[in-house]
Amino acid sequence: MAELQQQLLHHLPEHLELEDLLRLGARHLRQRVLHRVTVAPGIDIPVRVIELGSRNEQAPVVGFFGGVHGVERIGTQVLLSWMHSLIHRLDWDDQLRRQLERVRLVFMPMVNPGGIWHRQRSNLNGVDLMRNAPVDAMGPTPWLVAGHRLTPRLPWYRGARGDPMEIEALALIETVRASLLPAPFSLSIDCHSGFGRRDRLWCSYARSHKPIDNIAEVMAFKRLYERAYPHHHPYIIEPQSVQYTTHGDLWDYLYDESQEKYPDNLYLPFTLEMGSWLWVRKNPRQMLDYFGYFNPVISHRKRRVLRQHLPLFEFLMNASQSWRNWVPRPSQRDGLIREAIAQWFM
């Protein structure tokens, strides 16, 4: 047992931290194991989904996801920081308790434990989970980066054509299908790193420059955040396709499914893309380690990252609880669509 703890502490301390949080918050949390990943001989890591808050099927839902790309472990760590804050506040914060009676939070903080353990982007089959959905990009895409079917020895491998989706990708999809899409309003945020020097909130599509059907709601969300927090952390809020397009994006797949199966509900998927190039610019020695391109290495910088996104997560919870107060009315949608097209698609 001591040897196992040492291996976990070395390879996957996030698992130990999550186990501690589940014990601390046991009376508030609901959890289930979706599947287990054998990360090393004799070591199986459970992939969990954790829920907190309202059980009412009509309550709005916020989903928090991380660790899809194993090398981007800062995403998992940021979500564990948020869970830590919530669990400890529930011991004394009556206002938070009342709020959670009206909104449900769903956590899947470690989607790809095999990738995290082995410090690799893909899962243990060499598949990039965020290129694994059965959707293709429309129009030209960047070579390799957009996803390919050449070989799992290269990054961004989608999997062989016709193969079933990877078990980790299916676990994420089934979680969203069961817990988010049936709600009248739901919003998800998937935490990543590795692009640019600014933190971005990306919305669908990754596969097309075409505006999604709810682009008016995305613009209203952008306005809401920027007006409510004018001096807080300056996220760039935009569709992912403004930067590049990809094949196989799980969130594109789920958004399209929500439109087809739940046309009366509103589901908005976002990706938090933490601008890790800034960390590299401030500490060029990180370039000597592939891991350093995706994660803050210096301890004070890591502590800053772990706290700076908590106001955003609080905003997502508040905005979801009060969604009826800001989602645009039919008379407002045309103006917001024109504004979105002018800003992002022209």
Side-chain angles (χ1 to χ4, degrees):
M1 183 62 70
E3 182 181 350
L4 173 60
Q5 288 293 104
Q6 282 299 113
Q7 289 192 64
L8 288 169
L9 189 61
H10 177 70
H11 291 284
L12 203 59
E14 294 85 356
H15 172 70
L16 296 176
E17 184 177 353
L18 179 58
E19 293 280 312
D20 286 342
L21 290 173
L22 294 175
R23 283 191 291 271
L24 282 170
R27 63 196 176 103
H28 305 295
L29 305 173
R30 307 180 293 276
Q31 61 163 309
R32 63 185 185 275
V33 174
L34 303 176
H35 64 93
R36 294 178 180 272
V37 176
T38 301
V39 298
I43 303 178
D44 294 341
I45 301 297
V47 174
R48 291 186 172 93
V49 59
I50 302 137
E51 293 193 3
L52 174 64
S54 176
R55 296 175 184 265
N56 186 340
E57 293 182 357
Q58 294 302 303
V61 184
V62 189
F64 297 90
F65 298 84
V68 172
H69 291 143
V71 76
E72 300 167 19
R73 64 199 310 160
I74 188 63
T76 293
Q77 294 165 357
V78 165
L79 291 185
L80 294 178
S81 174
W82 172 229
M83 290 178 66
H84 177 100
S85 175
L86 291 169
I87 289 167
H88 283 273
R89 284 171 57 194
L90 282 169
D91 287 337
W92 58 269
D93 192 337
D94 289 337
Q95 182 176 349
L96 177 60
R97 292 175 188 166
R98 288 192 294 271
Q99 184 173 15
L100 287 172
E101 293 173 359
R102 301 186 294 274
V103 65
R104 181 162 63 257
L105 308 183
V106 176
F107 294 90
M108 200 172 171
M110 200 157 47
V111 175
N112 179 16
I116 299 175
W117 181 283
H118 290 280
R119 291 168 55 120
Q120 63 188 45
R121 178 183 177 90
S122 67
N123 72 351
L124 296 182
N125 293 329
V127 175
D128 186 328
L129 300 176
M130 203 44 71
R131 304 289 188 273
N132 192 224
V135 292
D136 293 326
M138 304 174 187
T141 58
W143 187 64
L144 287 184
V145 174
H148 63 87
R149 301 193 187 276
L150 299 174
T151 170
R153 294 185 180 89
L154 293 173
W156 308 294
Y157 178 62
R158 299 182 63 186
R161 189 177 302 279
D163 277 1
M165 294 177 67
E166 297 296 304
I167 190 171
E168 298 92 344
L170 286 173
L172 184 153
I173 285 172
E174 291 303 324
T175 297
V176 175
R177 281 175 176 165
S179 300
L180 276 74
L181 300 190
F185 177 91
S186 60
L187 181 153
S188 62
I189 185 160
D190 181 17
C191 299
H192 289 257
S193 60
F195 179 86
R197 293 188 296 176
R198 296 275 305 277
D199 292 338
R200 287 171 160 82
L201 279 177
W202 278 340
C203 67
S204 294
Y205 281 134
R207 67 186 180 96
S208 170
H209 292 288
K210 170 188 172 184
I212 62 172
D213 290 343
N214 292 115
I215 199 67
E217 285 75 14
V218 173
M219 179 57 72
F221 172 91
K222 179 179 185 294
R223 280 185 177 183
L224 188 73
Y225 178 80
E226 292 175 348
R227 290 174 179 176
Y229 297 91
H231 306 298
H232 280 58
H233 193 61
Y235 297 97
I236 298 174
I237 303 175
E238 62 187 8
Q240 181 178 330
S241 62
V242 170
Q243 300 299 329
Y244 61 93
T245 56
T246 70
H247 304 292
D249 188 273
L250 299 177
W251 302 113
D252 290 0
Y253 180 72
L254 285 162
Y255 176 77
D256 286 345
E257 183 172 310
S258 75
Q259 292 291 100
E260 178 184 349
K261 295 186 177 179
Y262 298 96
D264 296 329
N265 296 346
L266 175 57
Y267 169 56
L268 298 177
F270 288 91
T271 296
L272 170 59
E273 186 70 31
M274 288 176 267
S276 61
W277 297 357
L278 177 63
W279 310 330
V280 175
R281 185 174 70 86
K282 289 185 174 181
N283 181 32
R285 286 178 297 177
Q286 292 188 202
M287 290 188 291
L288 300 176
D289 182 358
Y290 177 66
F291 181 78
Y293 282 93
F294 302 94
N295 301 276
V297 173
I298 297 176
S299 59
H300 75 84
R301 192 161 292 132
K302 178 179 176 180
R303 290 195 300 271
R304 183 182 303 122
V305 173
L306 292 181
R307 65 176 180 263
Q308 74 183 13
H309 300 295
L310 300 193
L312 170 66
F313 296 160
E314 190 93 24
F315 167 76
L316 297 180
M317 181 170 63
N318 295 337
S320 297
Q321 178 197 322
S322 305
W323 68 277
R324 296 182 190 276
N325 295 336
W326 62 267
V327 166
R329 297 185 294 275
S331 61
Q332 299 171 310
R333 298 191 84 255
D334 285 348
L336 289 166
I337 291 171
R338 287 194 297 270
E339 184 178 347
I341 289 173
Q343 181 162 343
W344 291 324
F345 299 99
M346 294 181 66

